[in-house]
Amino acid sequence: MFAVTVTSFDAERPLEGLTLGDHAEPTLPDDGWTVVTVKATALNHHDLWSLKGVGLHEEQLPMILGTDASGLDEDGNEVVVHAVIGDPARGGGDETFDPKRSLLSEKYDGTLAERVAVPRRNLVPKPGAFSFEQAACLPTAWLTAFRMLTTRGQLQRGETVLVQGAGGGVSTALIPLAKAMGLRVWVTSRDAAKREQVVQLGADDAFDTGERLPERVDAVMESVGAATWSHSLKSLRPGGRVVVCGSTSGANPPADLARVFFLQLSVIGSTMGTRDELDQLLQFCADHSLAPLIDHTYPLPEADQALARLASGEGFGKVVVTA
Ligand SMILES: NC(=O)c1ccc[n+]([C@@H]2O[C@H](COP(=O)([O-])OP(=O)(O)OC[C@H]3O[C@@H](n4cnc5c(N)ncnc54)[C@H](OP(=O)(O)O)[C@@H]3O)[C@@H](O)[C@H]2O)c1
C-alpha cells in the first residue's frame, strides 16, 4: 500500500526525513485490532514533531505518520478513528491519564496510508453530516480543543477566553467551539489577515500577538508556548486559568512564578481527549451545526506538499490528505 513514513530525523529541516511510497500492509498486534481503509487524514503539528525526532527513537523507523483518520471499517461502516491507544488491561477510566498510552504514529503506525490497524474500541461511527475530510479533523485538534474548554478548563457561559494564535488547527477549533459554548472569545495573531479571518469565524475581537488587552480575561487557551506565555499570564484576572496543550514556539518560557502565586493563577495541562469526549464532541458539533474549517486538501501522493503547507504556518484551518 502507499504510505507516508518518517525514515530519519532532522530538527531544522523536518521534511528531509520524509519518504513516500510502497509500504507493507498493516499487521494486527492482537485480535482486538482491525484494519480501517483510510478515506481522509488531517495533519497536525505532531507529524512535524515526529519528523524532528520528538517522541520517536531511531530504532522505531520507518514509522507511518498521522494521528487522524476517517474511513471504512471491515464491514464498510463509515468511522472516525480515536487516536489515543490505551492499555486495555487498565480496565477503563480516562485513557489520557494512562501512563502507557500512545498516539497513533508513536508506537503503532499512523494514518497517512491507504490502510491503518487500530484497536476496534477506537472506532467511532462517523456522523453523516460530516464529509470524510471534515471528520478526519476531529480526533486530534478538535478533540484537544474540546477537552481544553470543558473537562480541563471548566469554562462557563459568559466568561471571556483568550485564544493564543489564530491559524493553527487547535485555534480554529477553539474559536467556534468556545462561541457555541456561550463564551466571549478573543484571539491573538501575528498576521493582520488572520485577525480578520478569526472574526469571520466568530471571534468577538482579535489582537496583535502580545498586544495589551482592553481587560483581563477569565481563561487563556495556550498552544503557542514561549512566544506568548508571558502575555498569557499577564492577560489573566486574579484567579484565572491558563490551559496549555502545546508549545509550537518553544517549551521553556520564563515561569513567572511570582505572577502565578500572587494572582493565584491555575496552570492546567491538557492532552487529546477520551473516546467518550470524542462522542460528546461529535454530538456537540451536530447540535450547534459546527464543522471543521479546512485550509487545503491534497491527495495522498502529494502528502509532502501538505506537510510543507503545515510547516509554513501560512494556513488557516486544517490541512487534509485524502487517500
Ligand atoms: N497536547 C495535545 O494533545 C495536543 C493536541 C494538538 C496539538 N497540540 C500542540 O499544540 C500546538 C498547536 O497545534 P496546531 O495543530 O494548532 O498547529 P500549529 O500549526 O502549531 O499552530 C500554530 C499556531 O501557533 C501560532 N504561532 C506559531 N508560532 C508563533 C510565534 N512565534 N508567535 C506567535 N504565535 C505563533 C500560530 O498563530 P498565528 O499564525 O495566527 O500567529 C498558529 O495559530 C502544537 O505544538 C501541537 O503539537 C497538542
Side-chain angles (χ1 to χ4, degrees):
M1 67 172 181
F2 192 92
V4 179
T5 52
V6 47
T7 44
S8 64
F9 303 132
D10 192 324
E12 300 305 317
R13 293 168 300 151
L15 301 189
E16 294 290 309
L18 200 56
T19 299
L20 283 73
D22 204 31
H23 192 278
E25 288 290 332
T27 51
L28 305 180
D30 65 51
D31 58 10
W33 287 57
T34 187
V35 171
V36 168
T37 301
V38 177
K39 290 291 200 180
T41 306
L43 300 187
N44 290 286
H45 210 96
H46 186 279
D47 304 313
L48 298 175
W49 293 127
S50 298
L51 286 160
K52 290 179 181 181
V54 178
L56 281 178
H57 303 289
E58 293 276 355
E59 56 272 22
Q60 295 174 279
L61 303 184
M63 177 70 81
I64 301 178
L65 290 169
T67 60
D68 281 333
S70 62
L72 301 175
D73 71 9
E74 282 171 319
D75 298 320
N77 301 307
E78 298 186 351
V79 293
V80 181
V81 176
H82 180 224
V84 181
I85 312 294
D87 177 5
R90 196 169 156 264
D94 183 327
E95 57 267 43
T96 65
F97 287 120
D98 178 354
K100 291 191 182 156
R101 72 161 152 75
S102 67
L103 295 189
L104 285 169
S105 79
E106 288 179 351
K107 185 172 173 193
Y108 302 101
D109 274 327
T111 55
L112 265 172
E114 290 176 281
R115 285 169 285 285
V116 60
V118 293
R120 252 185 216 97
R121 67 180 177 281
N122 284 51
L123 299 186
V124 177
K126 177 181 89 61
F130 293 126
S131 65
F132 282 110
E133 289 85 345
Q134 290 169 330
C137 301
L138 297 167
T140 300
W142 275 66
L143 180 59
T144 300
F146 187 69
R147 182 175 169 92
M148 289 172 81
L149 291 165
T150 56
T151 312
R152 303 297 289 155
Q154 296 284 323
L155 272 287
Q156 304 298 319
R157 178 171 286 279
E159 287 191 309
T160 300
V161 63
L162 175 68
V163 176
Q164 294 283 19
V170 174
S171 293
T172 54
L174 282 166
I175 296 161
L177 286 171
K179 273 317 289 178
M181 289 173 192
L183 304 170
R184 181 164 65 156
V185 182
W186 289 350
V187 183
T188 65
S189 177
R190 300 161 293 174
D191 185 278
K194 288 186 190 171
R195 292 197 289 275
E196 280 181 28
Q197 282 171 295
V198 290
V199 172
Q200 284 162 22
L201 194 60
D204 295 282
D205 213 341
F207 304 88
D208 198 358
T209 301
E211 186 180 333
R212 191 188 172 98
L213 303 179
E215 60 189 75
R216 297 233 165 109
V217 302
D218 299 292
V220 179
M221 299 296 116
E222 178 57 88
S223 68
V224 178
T228 52
W229 183 252
S230 130
H231 180 255
S232 291
L233 296 188
K234 278 186 198 143
S235 300
L236 283 170
R237 65 159 168 80
R241 61 256 193 228
V242 54
V243 184
V244 54
C245 79
S247 53
T248 298
S249 64
N252 294 303
D256 212 350
L257 289 180
R259 193 174 286 278
V260 171
F261 68 71
F262 193 67
L263 295 176
Q264 303 186 74
L265 305 179
S266 298
V267 177
I268 302 167
S270 194
T271 278
M272 299 294 287
T274 64
R275 190 192 181 288
D276 287 348
E277 286 168 329
L278 181 55
D279 277 335
Q280 290 162 26
L281 168 65
L282 295 177
Q283 190 58 54
F284 187 86
C285 288
D287 291 347
H288 295 85
S289 303
L290 300 181
L293 180 76
I294 294 176
D295 171 67
H296 261 280
T297 302
Y298 299 82
L300 187 58
E302 294 171 19
D304 50 342
Q305 292 176 41
L307 283 155
R309 174 77 182 167
L310 180 72
S312 76
E314 288 166 8
F316 187 79
K318 295 295 294 174
V319 178
V320 171
V321 173
T322 50

